[in-house]
Amino acid sequence: MADTAKAKGGGTARSTGGRRRSRKDSTTSAARGATSGVADEKPEVLLDYYRRMLLVRRFEERTGQAYTQARIGGYCHLNLGEEATVVGLMDSLQERDYLYTNYRDHGYAIHKGMSPRRVMAELYGRTDGVAKGWGGSMHMYDTETRMLGGYGIVGGQLPLATGAALAVSYRGGDEIVMCQMGDGTTNIGAWHEALNLASLWNLPIVYAIVNNFTGMGTSVDRSSAEPDLYKRGSAFRIEGVRVDGRDVLAVRDAATDLVEKARSEQRPYILECTSYRLKGHSVVDPAKYRTEEQVAEARSNDPVADFAEQLEKAGVLTEEKKQEISDSVKEEVADAADFAENSPHPDVSTLFDYTYATPVANESRRMPADPVFAE
């Protein structure tokens, strides 16, 4: 078993805002943070972040379109409104680090290193997809890039990510594990079990909470007795930090700090990123539980548009460059969609090929139309 005798750090919680957040008092902080951060960054870095955020936006919009055209089946959850969080979190990781996510995973898959072509092919259920078409939207997986899922069960990734961190610790590696989740996951029993073991065993893991204020159709304030989610590791002496998830630079800096602390100190940390979900919980959710005021609030806090505005004011993003990036991203997404469309469907005979990792005696391969008992 991993060494559990190492000294444990004290558990503290801090917010970059310095006071209790509400939806109202967080609406302008992204712009303020971006303004101050832009001046300290190289233009090429800022333009790269903008392009990557725009790629997630256009990819997800194309995904939503394909879903309505019945090219994508099953459940489908989009990163619309969370692009800054996606890019900021992924920029904090090294190639050798591991990532576990929930079912809202397309943007994370792309920016952990998967080809947009293969991600789109997976959405289409085709053999060139990252899971050969059998995983679909909620189950992106790629051993090479070390993104080990996409999990459809709320909180299902928590024990697995914590176990991966235990494996890293046991082997004496210098990798860390990032476990991404939505706000509702912090009310799952596995959350408390995972945090308890991570703190007890001094595991190198960062639990990244994407708080979009609405755990599906219920607000965080109505579903969580402690709505300041970054504080919820205090009982386990795990430090928590909150950051404005609409500010890609703020997310990157906070995440990088905690990732490197987890790596060097061999300790777990919590990062809460607040953002707005621009659409419903899934593609088919009309989000009628939101008031007109809440819809307007979300739309006025668009991280892609806000970041573009900041770069334009700073003289980094010209109209010509903006159009160039837009055309490039549009072409890349169209190419991914064409690739997926032309990728073959899996053969029915392969339906059971990946049920188990290794052969299992007497494994059933009976198809729905097959008789229960052989004649």
Side-chain angles (χ1 to χ4, degrees):
M1 180 174 289
D3 179 13
T4 61
K6 293 177 283 186
K8 295 191 288 186
T12 60
R14 54 191 171 91
S15 169
T16 56
R19 59 192 176 101
R20 184 181 179 91
R21 173 206 47 82
S22 71
R23 292 170 67 107
K24 284 296 185 182
D25 66 27
S26 66
T27 54
T28 60
S29 56
R32 291 197 301 269
T35 300
S36 60
V38 164
D40 301 324
E41 295 289 339
K42 295 180 179 180
E44 57 267 29
V45 172
L46 297 170
L47 291 174
D48 178 60
Y49 287 165
Y50 173 68
R51 188 189 190 282
R52 290 162 62 187
M53 289 169 61
L54 188 64
L55 176 60
V56 176
R57 173 63 57 85
R58 298 293 179 253
F59 187 94
E60 295 293 60
E61 289 173 344
R62 186 60 179 261
T63 296
Q65 177 185 354
Y67 191 92
T68 62
Q69 295 169 339
R71 286 180 165 84
I72 297 173
Y75 293 100
C76 188
H77 307 78
L78 307 178
N79 289 125
L80 296 173
E82 300 176 359
E83 294 86 356
T85 295
V86 172
V87 173
L89 289 178
M90 292 303 92
D91 203 60
S92 72
L93 298 179
Q94 303 294 326
E95 287 187 10
R96 66 185 183 276
D97 295 332
Y98 294 92
L99 173 68
Y100 288 76
T101 75
N102 65 356
Y103 40 76
R104 202 179 302 276
D105 57 354
H106 311 157
Y108 295 97
I110 291 172
H111 289 307
K112 190 63 172 76
M114 297 187 205
S115 162
R117 282 183 158 196
R118 297 187 64 215
V119 173
M120 189 68 83
E122 186 62 37
L123 290 167
Y124 276 51
R126 307 300 177 91
T127 58
D128 292 318
V130 294
K132 302 184 184 299
W134 292 118
S137 171
M138 299 192 293
H139 305 290
M140 298 292 161
Y141 185 98
D142 183 37
T143 305
E144 183 177 345
T145 59
R146 297 197 168 186
M147 178 179 174
L148 305 185
Y151 292 85
I153 296 176
V154 175
Q157 73 273 32
L158 285 167
L160 299 175
T162 306
L166 175 59
V168 170
S169 178
Y170 185 83
R171 296 171 180 174
D174 69 341
E175 309 98 324
I176 70 99
V177 177
M178 178 172 283
C179 182
Q180 176 269 355
M181 71 204 76
D183 43 76
T185 302
T186 61
N187 290 323
I188 297 296
W191 162 263
H192 304 282
E193 296 169 346
L195 264 62
N196 183 57
L197 292 179
S199 184
L200 189 65
W201 291 343
N202 302 291
L203 303 183
I205 184 169
V206 175
Y207 297 99
I209 307 166
V210 181
N211 181 0
N212 56 37
F213 310 117
T214 311
M216 189 170 181
T218 305
S219 69
V220 172
D221 290 340
R222 295 184 62 187
S223 61
S224 299
E226 175 49 271
D228 291 337
L229 304 182
Y230 68 105
K231 298 178 180 178
R232 302 196 72 173
S234 299
F236 307 102
R237 299 184 178 181
I238 297 177
E239 178 182 343
V241 176
R242 171 187 283 148
V243 68
D244 190 332
R246 297 159 296 159
D247 183 343
V248 62
L249 302 178
V251 174
R252 179 204 62 186
D253 291 346
T256 299
D257 179 54
L258 296 188
V259 162
E260 294 312 314
K261 280 185 176 180
R263 197 187 311 278
S264 62
E265 300 173 7
Q266 293 292 291
R267 285 289 301 160
Y269 288 91
I270 295 172
L271 176 62
E272 177 189 357
C273 304
T274 60
S275 62
Y276 286 80
R277 197 179 68 206
L278 297 183
K279 296 288 187 178
H281 177 71
S282 69
V283 175
V284 297
D285 175 16
K288 292 184 177 179
Y289 42 81
R290 284 179 171 172
T291 65
E292 292 184 3
E293 181 184 21
Q294 289 172 336
V295 171
E297 185 179 353
R299 290 176 178 173
S300 66
N301 284 276
D302 183 331
V304 179
D306 286 349
F307 194 54
E309 182 180 351
Q310 294 301 320
L311 297 189
E312 288 170 342
K313 289 182 178 179
V316 174
L317 184 64
T318 63
E319 280 299 323
E320 293 77 13
K321 190 65 177 178
K322 187 176 183 181
Q323 188 62 50
E324 177 187 331
I325 292 174
S326 177
D327 292 342
S328 172
V329 167
K330 183 179 179 180
E331 181 179 349
E332 185 172 3
V333 171
D335 175 72
D338 289 342
F339 178 81
E341 189 70 47
N342 293 308
S343 176
H345 291 277
D347 191 272
V348 175
S349 64
T350 67
L351 180 61
F352 298 97
D353 284 2
Y354 306 102
T355 304
Y356 297 97
T358 56
V360 174
N362 301 316
E363 175 191 353
S364 174
R365 286 181 168 259
R366 185 174 66 85
M367 300 296 287
D370 291 345
V372 177
F373 300 102
E375 296 180 358

